[in-house]
Amino acid sequence: MTDTLTQRPRLILGSGSPRRLELLAVLGITPDAVTPPDIDETPRKAELPRDYCARIAAEKLAAIPAGPEDIALCADTTVALGRRILGKPADEEEARRFLDLLSGRRHRVYTALAVKRGDKTWARVTESRVRMKRLSESEREGYLATGDWQGKAGGYSIQGPAGAFIPWISGSHSAIVGLPLAEAAQLLTAAGYPVWAAR
């Protein structure tokens, strides 16, 4: 199905993340539908973080109902310390453990993108590196009290208060937030979405 006014394909965002909506809006894109998929995001035994991230994005994409001319976009962001996957903390105590692990160290943030139109798919995984300053107890507890850690991979978000803990990154800031803009624009364009068309 295409929009009869602009002849652009219908875009479905397979994510409930407000950050991804905001990042698409930076490109002037508003999805026609937002359909968060319901999948099991449990890592497999000995699964590496990059592989896990790519698999979850692909499984999200497969779970999105879309017409043959619709374009569906899904993403997954994973925080990794070495081979260890730091997912979304179940509670404040787990968020505290994650922050203690990340404090004063560098870690990787992987964001996988997956796009489909009909029977064609496009995928990409970005890797960024992030250094978190060594946190004092008051900094850690003050951050936990904000509640910003909830629903965030690794127990923090760079665009929230924890941005004050991040003096250095290498890679894509938008990918760390949840949607690498350069890669998203490339994949959507490849799928036939007019990213740069006049609006």
mmCIF file of all heavy atoms in Angstrom, residues 80-120:
data_model
loop_
_atom_site.group_PDB
_atom_site.id
_atom_site.type_symbol
_atom_site.label_atom_id
_atom_site.label_comp_id
_atom_site.label_asym_id
_atom_site.label_seq_id
_atom_site.Cartn_x
_atom_site.Cartn_y
_atom_site.Cartn_z
ATOM 1 N N ALA A 80 27.321 -3.916 25.656
ATOM 2 C CA ALA A 80 28.172 -5.088 25.891
ATOM 3 C C ALA A 80 29.443 -4.688 26.619
ATOM 4 O O ALA A 80 30.101 -3.704 26.264
ATOM 5 C CB ALA A 80 28.524 -5.755 24.567
ATOM 6 N N LEU A 81 29.779 -5.475 27.622
ATOM 7 C CA LEU A 81 31.053 -5.330 28.327
ATOM 8 C C LEU A 81 31.824 -6.608 28.056
ATOM 9 O O LEU A 81 31.523 -7.656 28.637
ATOM 10 C CB LEU A 81 30.799 -5.124 29.822
ATOM 11 C CG LEU A 81 31.999 -4.686 30.663
ATOM 12 C CD1 LEU A 81 32.569 -3.363 30.185
ATOM 13 C CD2 LEU A 81 31.587 -4.580 32.127
ATOM 14 N N GLY A 82 32.766 -6.530 27.117
ATOM 15 C CA GLY A 82 33.424 -7.737 26.650
ATOM 16 C C GLY A 82 32.404 -8.607 25.944
ATOM 17 O O GLY A 82 31.675 -8.148 25.080
ATOM 18 N N ARG A 83 32.303 -9.870 26.354
ATOM 19 C CA ARG A 83 31.326 -10.792 25.765
ATOM 20 C C ARG A 83 29.994 -10.777 26.517
ATOM 21 O O ARG A 83 29.061 -11.479 26.125
ATOM 22 C CB ARG A 83 31.890 -12.221 25.775
ATOM 23 C CG ARG A 83 33.148 -12.376 24.935
ATOM 24 C CD ARG A 83 33.856 -13.696 25.244
ATOM 25 N NE ARG A 83 33.047 -14.847 24.882
ATOM 26 C CZ ARG A 83 33.124 -15.492 23.717
ATOM 27 N NH1 ARG A 83 33.983 -15.077 22.794
ATOM 28 N NH2 ARG A 83 32.362 -16.541 23.474
ATOM 29 N N ARG A 84 29.920 -9.987 27.559
ATOM 30 C CA ARG A 84 28.722 -9.963 28.393
ATOM 31 C C ARG A 84 27.694 -8.972 27.860
ATOM 32 O O ARG A 84 28.012 -7.816 27.575
ATOM 33 C CB ARG A 84 29.096 -9.606 29.828
ATOM 34 C CG ARG A 84 27.921 -9.577 30.774
ATOM 35 C CD ARG A 84 28.355 -9.425 32.217
ATOM 36 N NE ARG A 84 27.208 -9.413 33.108
ATOM 37 C CZ ARG A 84 27.300 -9.347 34.423
ATOM 38 N NH1 ARG A 84 28.488 -9.301 35.002
ATOM 39 N NH2 ARG A 84 26.223 -9.333 35.167
ATOM 40 N N ILE A 85 26.462 -9.436 27.734
ATOM 41 C CA ILE A 85 25.353 -8.598 27.283
ATOM 42 C C ILE A 85 24.684 -7.981 28.504
ATOM 43 O O ILE A 85 24.264 -8.697 29.418
ATOM 44 C CB ILE A 85 24.332 -9.430 26.486
ATOM 45 C CG1 ILE A 85 24.971 -9.956 25.195
ATOM 46 C CG2 ILE A 85 23.081 -8.609 26.174
ATOM 47 C CD1 ILE A 85 24.153 -11.031 24.500
ATOM 48 N N LEU A 86 24.600 -6.649 28.522
ATOM 49 C CA LEU A 86 23.903 -5.955 29.598
ATOM 50 C C LEU A 86 22.570 -5.468 29.029
ATOM 51 O O LEU A 86 22.515 -4.448 28.346
ATOM 52 C CB LEU A 86 24.728 -4.773 30.122
ATOM 53 C CG LEU A 86 26.127 -5.098 30.652
ATOM 54 C CD1 LEU A 86 26.782 -3.840 31.220
ATOM 55 C CD2 LEU A 86 26.094 -6.196 31.704
ATOM 56 N N GLY A 87 21.523 -6.206 29.290
ATOM 57 C CA GLY A 87 20.209 -5.862 28.746
ATOM 58 C C GLY A 87 19.512 -4.806 29.579
ATOM 59 O O GLY A 87 20.136 -4.020 30.304
ATOM 60 N N LYS A 88 18.188 -4.804 29.496
ATOM 61 C CA LYS A 88 17.404 -3.865 30.289
ATOM 62 C C LYS A 88 17.288 -4.415 31.709
ATOM 63 O O LYS A 88 16.843 -5.548 31.897
ATOM 64 C CB LYS A 88 16.015 -3.703 29.670
ATOM 65 C CG LYS A 88 16.052 -3.114 28.271
ATOM 66 C CD LYS A 88 14.688 -3.180 27.601
ATOM 67 C CE LYS A 88 14.790 -2.672 26.168
ATOM 68 N NZ LYS A 88 13.506 -2.860 25.431
ATOM 69 N N PRO A 89 17.707 -3.657 32.705
ATOM 70 C CA PRO A 89 17.684 -4.183 34.074
ATOM 71 C C PRO A 89 16.275 -4.492 34.548
ATOM 72 O O PRO A 89 15.334 -3.743 34.273
ATOM 73 C CB PRO A 89 18.331 -3.069 34.900
ATOM 74 C CG PRO A 89 18.272 -1.847 34.059
ATOM 75 C CD PRO A 89 18.248 -2.288 32.643
ATOM 76 N N ALA A 90 16.153 -5.592 35.261
ATOM 77 C CA ALA A 90 14.845 -6.015 35.758
ATOM 78 C C ALA A 90 14.365 -5.138 36.908
ATOM 79 O O ALA A 90 13.164 -4.973 37.118
ATOM 80 C CB ALA A 90 14.915 -7.469 36.208
ATOM 81 N N ASP A 91 15.333 -4.577 37.652
ATOM 82 C CA ASP A 91 14.971 -3.757 38.805
ATOM 83 C C ASP A 91 16.135 -2.832 39.138
ATOM 84 O O ASP A 91 17.187 -2.862 38.489
ATOM 85 C CB ASP A 91 14.606 -4.629 40.014
ATOM 86 C CG ASP A 91 15.682 -5.678 40.335
ATOM 87 O OD1 ASP A 91 16.882 -5.408 40.088
ATOM 88 O OD2 ASP A 91 15.332 -6.763 40.824
ATOM 89 N N GLU A 92 15.951 -2.013 40.161
ATOM 90 C CA GLU A 92 16.971 -1.030 40.520
ATOM 91 C C GLU A 92 18.271 -1.694 40.945
ATOM 92 O O GLU A 92 19.366 -1.189 40.648
ATOM 93 C CB GLU A 92 16.446 -0.115 41.630
ATOM 94 C CG GLU A 92 17.406 1.013 41.977
ATOM 95 C CD GLU A 92 16.839 1.975 43.002
ATOM 96 O OE1 GLU A 92 15.791 2.594 42.711
ATOM 97 O OE2 GLU A 92 17.444 2.105 44.084
ATOM 98 N N GLU A 93 18.189 -2.829 41.623
ATOM 99 C CA GLU A 93 19.401 -3.510 42.079
ATOM 100 C C GLU A 93 20.231 -3.985 40.890
ATOM 101 O O GLU A 93 21.464 -3.876 40.905
ATOM 102 C CB GLU A 93 19.038 -4.681 42.991
ATOM 103 C CG GLU A 93 20.249 -5.333 43.646
ATOM 104 C CD GLU A 93 21.168 -4.341 44.356
ATOM 105 O OE1 GLU A 93 20.671 -3.455 45.074
ATOM 106 O OE2 GLU A 93 22.404 -4.449 44.170
ATOM 107 N N GLU A 94 19.571 -4.504 39.863
ATOM 108 C CA GLU A 94 20.328 -4.918 38.678
ATOM 109 C C GLU A 94 20.900 -3.700 37.954
ATOM 110 O O GLU A 94 22.036 -3.733 37.466
ATOM 111 C CB GLU A 94 19.450 -5.729 37.726
ATOM 112 C CG GLU A 94 20.272 -6.313 36.568
ATOM 113 C CD GLU A 94 19.516 -7.336 35.758
ATOM 114 O OE1 GLU A 94 18.302 -7.142 35.504
ATOM 115 O OE2 GLU A 94 20.147 -8.346 35.375
ATOM 116 N N ALA A 95 20.160 -2.603 37.908
ATOM 117 C CA ALA A 95 20.684 -1.374 37.308
ATOM 118 C C ALA A 95 21.926 -0.903 38.060
ATOM 119 O O ALA A 95 22.913 -0.463 37.457
ATOM 120 C CB ALA A 95 19.611 -0.284 37.317
ATOM 121 N N ARG A 96 21.906 -1.024 39.380
ATOM 122 C CA ARG A 96 23.064 -0.644 40.201
ATOM 123 C C ARG A 96 24.274 -1.519 39.850
ATOM 124 O O ARG A 96 25.390 -1.016 39.714
ATOM 125 C CB ARG A 96 22.696 -0.770 41.686
ATOM 126 C CG ARG A 96 23.809 -0.356 42.634
ATOM 127 C CD ARG A 96 23.356 -0.415 44.093
ATOM 128 N NE ARG A 96 22.424 0.663 44.413
ATOM 129 C CZ ARG A 96 21.113 0.512 44.627
ATOM 130 N NH1 ARG A 96 20.564 -0.707 44.557
ATOM 131 N NH2 ARG A 96 20.351 1.548 44.904
ATOM 132 N N ARG A 97 24.040 -2.818 39.682
ATOM 133 C CA ARG A 97 25.139 -3.725 39.319
ATOM 134 C C ARG A 97 25.706 -3.359 37.952
ATOM 135 O O ARG A 97 26.927 -3.364 37.752
ATOM 136 C CB ARG A 97 24.650 -5.173 39.312
ATOM 137 C CG ARG A 97 24.432 -5.752 40.694
ATOM 138 C CD ARG A 97 24.411 -7.280 40.696
ATOM 139 N NE ARG A 97 23.347 -7.818 39.851
ATOM 140 C CZ ARG A 97 22.107 -8.051 40.280
ATOM 141 N NH1 ARG A 97 21.766 -7.771 41.531
ATOM 142 N NH2 ARG A 97 21.206 -8.563 39.458
ATOM 143 N N PHE A 98 24.835 -3.040 37.013
ATOM 144 C CA PHE A 98 25.309 -2.651 35.682
ATOM 145 C C PHE A 98 26.172 -1.385 35.756
ATOM 146 O O PHE A 98 27.243 -1.307 35.138
ATOM 147 C CB PHE A 98 24.127 -2.392 34.746
ATOM 148 C CG PHE A 98 23.423 -3.640 34.260
ATOM 149 C CD1 PHE A 98 22.293 -3.540 33.455
ATOM 150 C CD2 PHE A 98 23.873 -4.913 34.589
ATOM 151 C CE1 PHE A 98 21.645 -4.671 32.993
ATOM 152 C CE2 PHE A 98 23.224 -6.053 34.140
ATOM 153 C CZ PHE A 98 22.101 -5.927 33.332
ATOM 154 N N LEU A 99 25.711 -0.394 36.498
ATOM 155 C CA LEU A 99 26.472 0.857 36.613
ATOM 156 C C LEU A 99 27.818 0.616 37.279
ATOM 157 O O LEU A 99 28.835 1.206 36.876
ATOM 158 C CB LEU A 99 25.663 1.896 37.382
ATOM 159 C CG LEU A 99 24.426 2.432 36.672
ATOM 160 C CD1 LEU A 99 23.627 3.336 37.603
ATOM 161 C CD2 LEU A 99 24.797 3.195 35.393
ATOM 162 N N ASP A 100 27.856 -0.266 38.276
ATOM 163 C CA ASP A 100 29.123 -0.594 38.928
ATOM 164 C C ASP A 100 30.078 -1.279 37.944
ATOM 165 O O ASP A 100 31.292 -1.042 37.978
ATOM 166 C CB ASP A 100 28.885 -1.496 40.140
ATOM 167 C CG ASP A 100 28.304 -0.733 41.329
ATOM 168 O OD1 ASP A 100 28.402 0.517 41.342
ATOM 169 O OD2 ASP A 100 27.765 -1.381 42.238
ATOM 170 N N LEU A 101 29.540 -2.122 37.064
ATOM 171 C CA LEU A 101 30.369 -2.784 36.056
ATOM 172 C C LEU A 101 30.922 -1.783 35.042
ATOM 173 O O LEU A 101 32.067 -1.889 34.603
ATOM 174 C CB LEU A 101 29.551 -3.852 35.320
ATOM 175 C CG LEU A 101 29.270 -5.147 36.075
ATOM 176 C CD1 LEU A 101 28.216 -5.967 35.332
ATOM 177 C CD2 LEU A 101 30.552 -5.958 36.244
ATOM 178 N N LEU A 102 30.092 -0.812 34.648
ATOM 179 C CA LEU A 102 30.478 0.137 33.601
ATOM 180 C C LEU A 102 31.324 1.287 34.134
ATOM 181 O O LEU A 102 32.070 1.909 33.370
ATOM 182 C CB LEU A 102 29.218 0.705 32.927
ATOM 183 C CG LEU A 102 28.337 -0.307 32.184
ATOM 184 C CD1 LEU A 102 27.036 0.350 31.736
ATOM 185 C CD2 LEU A 102 29.075 -0.894 30.995
ATOM 186 N N SER A 103 31.236 1.561 35.420
ATOM 187 C CA SER A 103 31.920 2.701 36.031
ATOM 188 C C SER A 103 33.428 2.669 35.759
ATOM 189 O O SER A 103 34.105 1.677 36.057
ATOM 190 C CB SER A 103 31.667 2.686 37.540
ATOM 191 O OG SER A 103 32.395 3.717 38.182
ATOM 192 N N GLY A 104 33.929 3.743 35.157
ATOM 193 C CA GLY A 104 35.361 3.886 34.901
ATOM 194 C C GLY A 104 35.887 3.038 33.760
ATOM 195 O O GLY A 104 37.106 2.925 33.587
ATOM 196 N N ARG A 105 34.997 2.454 32.961
ATOM 197 C CA ARG A 105 35.441 1.544 31.898
ATOM 198 C C ARG A 105 34.837 1.925 30.546
ATOM 199 O O ARG A 105 33.845 2.639 30.467
ATOM 200 C CB ARG A 105 35.027 0.101 32.236
ATOM 201 C CG ARG A 105 35.571 -0.377 33.561
ATOM 202 C CD ARG A 105 35.045 -1.735 33.941
ATOM 203 N NE ARG A 105 35.641 -2.787 33.123
ATOM 204 C CZ ARG A 105 35.389 -4.080 33.288
ATOM 205 N NH1 ARG A 105 34.544 -4.476 34.224
ATOM 206 N NH2 ARG A 105 35.968 -4.985 32.523
ATOM 207 N N ARG A 106 35.456 1.372 29.520
ATOM 208 C CA ARG A 106 34.889 1.496 28.171
ATOM 209 C C ARG A 106 34.022 0.277 27.888
ATOM 210 O O ARG A 106 34.310 -0.827 28.346
ATOM 211 C CB ARG A 106 35.999 1.588 27.116
ATOM 212 C CG ARG A 106 36.782 2.885 27.203
ATOM 213 C CD ARG A 106 37.745 3.011 26.040
ATOM 214 N NE ARG A 106 38.549 4.224 26.176
ATOM 215 C CZ ARG A 106 39.389 4.681 25.254
ATOM 216 N NH1 ARG A 106 39.566 4.003 24.130
ATOM 217 N NH2 ARG A 106 40.059 5.793 25.445
ATOM 218 N N HIS A 107 32.980 0.498 27.116
ATOM 219 C CA HIS A 107 32.129 -0.602 26.684
ATOM 220 C C HIS A 107 31.656 -0.334 25.256
ATOM 221 O O HIS A 107 31.883 0.744 24.707
ATOM 222 C CB HIS A 107 30.940 -0.787 27.641
ATOM 223 C CG HIS A 107 30.046 0.412 27.757
ATOM 224 N ND1 HIS A 107 30.320 1.459 28.614
ATOM 225 C CD2 HIS A 107 28.887 0.749 27.128
ATOM 226 C CE1 HIS A 107 29.378 2.381 28.511
ATOM 227 N NE2 HIS A 107 28.494 1.971 27.606
ATOM 228 N N ARG A 108 31.014 -1.330 24.676
ATOM 229 C CA ARG A 108 30.513 -1.195 23.308
ATOM 230 C C ARG A 108 28.990 -1.110 23.327
ATOM 231 O O ARG A 108 28.330 -1.728 24.164
ATOM 232 C CB ARG A 108 30.935 -2.396 22.457
ATOM 233 C CG ARG A 108 32.413 -2.421 22.101
ATOM 234 C CD ARG A 108 32.744 -3.668 21.281
ATOM 235 N NE ARG A 108 34.082 -3.616 20.712
ATOM 236 C CZ ARG A 108 35.181 -3.963 21.355
ATOM 237 N NH1 ARG A 108 35.104 -4.390 22.596
ATOM 238 N NH2 ARG A 108 36.358 -3.887 20.760
ATOM 239 N N VAL A 109 28.471 -0.345 22.378
ATOM 240 C CA VAL A 109 27.032 -0.292 22.155
ATOM 241 C C VAL A 109 26.780 -0.706 20.710
ATOM 242 O O VAL A 109 27.292 -0.074 19.777
ATOM 243 C CB VAL A 109 26.457 1.116 22.417
ATOM 244 C CG1 VAL A 109 24.957 1.144 22.113
ATOM 245 C CG2 VAL A 109 26.708 1.546 23.863
ATOM 246 N N TYR A 110 26.035 -1.781 20.530
ATOM 247 C CA TYR A 110 25.663 -2.248 19.198
ATOM 248 C C TYR A 110 24.213 -1.854 18.933
ATOM 249 O O TYR A 110 23.352 -2.017 19.806
ATOM 250 C CB TYR A 110 25.769 -3.774 19.098
ATOM 251 C CG TYR A 110 27.168 -4.310 19.267
ATOM 252 C CD1 TYR A 110 27.577 -4.863 20.474
ATOM 253 C CD2 TYR A 110 28.080 -4.255 18.208
ATOM 254 C CE1 TYR A 110 28.857 -5.358 20.635
ATOM 255 C CE2 TYR A 110 29.373 -4.745 18.364
ATOM 256 C CZ TYR A 110 29.756 -5.285 19.573
ATOM 257 O OH TYR A 110 31.030 -5.777 19.731
ATOM 258 N N THR A 111 23.961 -1.322 17.751
ATOM 259 C CA THR A 111 22.583 -1.108 17.321
ATOM 260 C C THR A 111 22.412 -1.761 15.961
ATOM 261 O O THR A 111 23.145 -1.440 15.013
ATOM 262 C CB THR A 111 22.206 0.384 17.261
ATOM 263 O OG1 THR A 111 22.273 0.931 18.578
ATOM 264 C CG2 THR A 111 20.790 0.566 16.736
ATOM 265 N N ALA A 112 21.482 -2.693 15.901
ATOM 266 C CA ALA A 112 21.180 -3.400 14.655
ATOM 267 C C ALA A 112 19.918 -2.810 14.051
ATOM 268 O O ALA A 112 18.946 -2.520 14.754
ATOM 269 C CB ALA A 112 20.984 -4.884 14.923
ATOM 270 N N LEU A 113 19.945 -2.629 12.736
ATOM 271 C CA LEU A 113 18.780 -2.176 11.978
ATOM 272 C C LEU A 113 18.348 -3.295 11.048
ATOM 273 O O LEU A 113 19.190 -4.006 10.488
ATOM 274 C CB LEU A 113 19.118 -0.959 11.122
ATOM 275 C CG LEU A 113 19.402 0.360 11.820
ATOM 276 C CD1 LEU A 113 19.736 1.414 10.771
ATOM 277 C CD2 LEU A 113 18.210 0.797 12.635
ATOM 278 N N ALA A 114 17.059 -3.431 10.858
ATOM 279 C CA ALA A 114 16.524 -4.395 9.900
ATOM 280 C C ALA A 114 15.327 -3.749 9.211
ATOM 281 O O ALA A 114 14.447 -3.194 9.864
ATOM 282 C CB ALA A 114 16.112 -5.687 10.603
ATOM 283 N N VAL A 115 15.329 -3.805 7.893
ATOM 284 C CA VAL A 115 14.278 -3.188 7.078
ATOM 285 C C VAL A 115 13.773 -4.228 6.090
ATOM 286 O O VAL A 115 14.560 -5.018 5.552
ATOM 287 C CB VAL A 115 14.823 -1.948 6.319
ATOM 288 C CG1 VAL A 115 13.806 -1.420 5.311
ATOM 289 C CG2 VAL A 115 15.209 -0.845 7.302
ATOM 290 N N LYS A 116 12.461 -4.252 5.870
ATOM 291 C CA LYS A 116 11.931 -5.152 4.840
ATOM 292 C C LYS A 116 10.887 -4.433 3.991
ATOM 293 O O LYS A 116 10.210 -3.508 4.444
ATOM 294 C CB LYS A 116 11.315 -6.412 5.457
ATOM 295 C CG LYS A 116 9.995 -6.220 6.177
ATOM 296 C CD LYS A 116 9.436 -7.557 6.673
ATOM 297 C CE LYS A 116 8.162 -7.345 7.504
ATOM 298 N NZ LYS A 116 7.635 -8.605 8.034
ATOM 299 N N ARG A 117 10.831 -4.868 2.752
ATOM 300 C CA ARG A 117 9.753 -4.457 1.844
ATOM 301 C C ARG A 117 9.449 -5.665 0.970
ATOM 302 O O ARG A 117 10.317 -6.126 0.216
ATOM 303 C CB ARG A 117 10.165 -3.265 0.987
ATOM 304 C CG ARG A 117 9.027 -2.757 0.113
ATOM 305 C CD ARG A 117 9.423 -1.514 -0.639
ATOM 306 N NE ARG A 117 8.260 -0.939 -1.326
ATOM 307 C CZ ARG A 117 8.299 0.159 -2.059
ATOM 308 N NH1 ARG A 117 9.446 0.823 -2.199
ATOM 309 N NH2 ARG A 117 7.204 0.611 -2.663
ATOM 310 N N GLY A 118 8.251 -6.208 1.112
ATOM 311 C CA GLY A 118 7.931 -7.437 0.398
ATOM 312 C C GLY A 118 8.819 -8.561 0.892
ATOM 313 O O GLY A 118 8.949 -8.792 2.088
ATOM 314 N N ASP A 119 9.472 -9.246 -0.049
ATOM 315 C CA ASP A 119 10.338 -10.359 0.357
ATOM 316 C C ASP A 119 11.810 -9.966 0.414
ATOM 317 O O ASP A 119 12.689 -10.813 0.550
ATOM 318 C CB ASP A 119 10.156 -11.554 -0.592
ATOM 319 C CG ASP A 119 10.484 -11.205 -2.039
ATOM 320 O OD1 ASP A 119 10.847 -10.033 -2.312
ATOM 321 O OD2 ASP A 119 10.365 -12.097 -2.891
ATOM 322 N N LYS A 120 12.098 -8.673 0.327
ATOM 323 C CA LYS A 120 13.485 -8.200 0.416
ATOM 324 C C LYS A 120 13.755 -7.609 1.793
ATOM 325 O O LYS A 120 12.899 -6.920 2.367
ATOM 326 C CB LYS A 120 13.777 -7.143 -0.657
ATOM 327 C CG LYS A 120 13.810 -7.687 -2.072
ATOM 328 C CD LYS A 120 14.484 -6.710 -3.016
ATOM 329 C CE LYS A 120 15.971 -6.571 -2.732
ATOM 330 N NZ LYS A 120 16.677 -5.706 -3.723
#
